[in-house]
Amino acid sequence: MEDRFEPMEAEFKKIMEEREVLHRQQMLKEREALRRARAVRTIQAWWRTFRVKKAIRIKYQKLEKQRLKELKKKGKKGGKKGKGGGEKEPKDAAKPKGKK
């Protein structure tokens, strides 16, 4: 009776080994797919961050240029002329008494 089961047992072992090999291959493919997906998410997140930072930097530079232009315009239009220190004596200040 054991003689009848030996060929079937050998075939069963062969089939189980093939299944095990296929299972390992499938697991490796899934792991690789997960690894790639994680890498893709990381790269995309870095790229989005880079773009946002660049846009913010450009916007800041434009605002800074605009602010500097406005400061230059204000400096040209008004202000005191001459080299004076800008301090004026109050009208009520005591004047030294002397000859007139």
Side-chain angles (χ1 to χ4, degrees):
M1 193 172 231
E2 287 183 22
D3 294 337
R4 277 184 18 195
F5 291 115
E6 282 181 18
M8 288 197 310
E9 187 177 357
E11 186 177 341
F12 176 75
K13 285 182 181 180
K14 184 179 178 185
I15 290 171
M16 291 306 287
E17 286 176 8
E18 288 175 0
R19 283 186 183 177
E20 183 66 29
V21 168
L22 289 174
H23 179 70
R24 285 183 190 156
Q25 289 175 347
Q26 185 66 26
M27 291 298 290
L28 287 174
K29 285 181 183 179
E30 288 178 13
R31 285 182 186 164
E32 182 66 19
L34 288 173
R35 187 183 70 79
R36 286 178 183 239
R38 184 182 299 152
V40 165
R41 284 192 306 267
T42 302
I43 292 169
Q44 288 175 347
W46 179 86
W47 180 248
R48 284 190 302 266
T49 303
F50 175 80
R51 285 189 346 205
V52 169
K53 286 181 178 181
K54 185 175 180 181
I56 289 171
R57 184 179 46 212
I58 289 171
K59 187 174 183 178
Y60 176 76
Q61 287 172 349
K62 286 181 181 179
L63 289 173
E64 189 65 22
K65 280 184 180 178
Q66 183 180 5
R67 188 180 71 82
L68 289 175
K69 282 183 181 179
E70 289 174 3
L71 287 175
K72 285 182 181 179
K73 285 181 183 179
K74 285 182 180 178
K76 289 181 181 178
K77 285 184 178 178
K80 295 184 178 182
K81 307 233 179 194
K83 296 183 180 180
E87 288 189 34
K88 292 184 178 178
E89 291 185 30
K91 291 181 181 178
D92 298 340
K95 295 183 181 180
K97 294 183 179 178
K99 293 182 181 179
K100 290 188 180 181

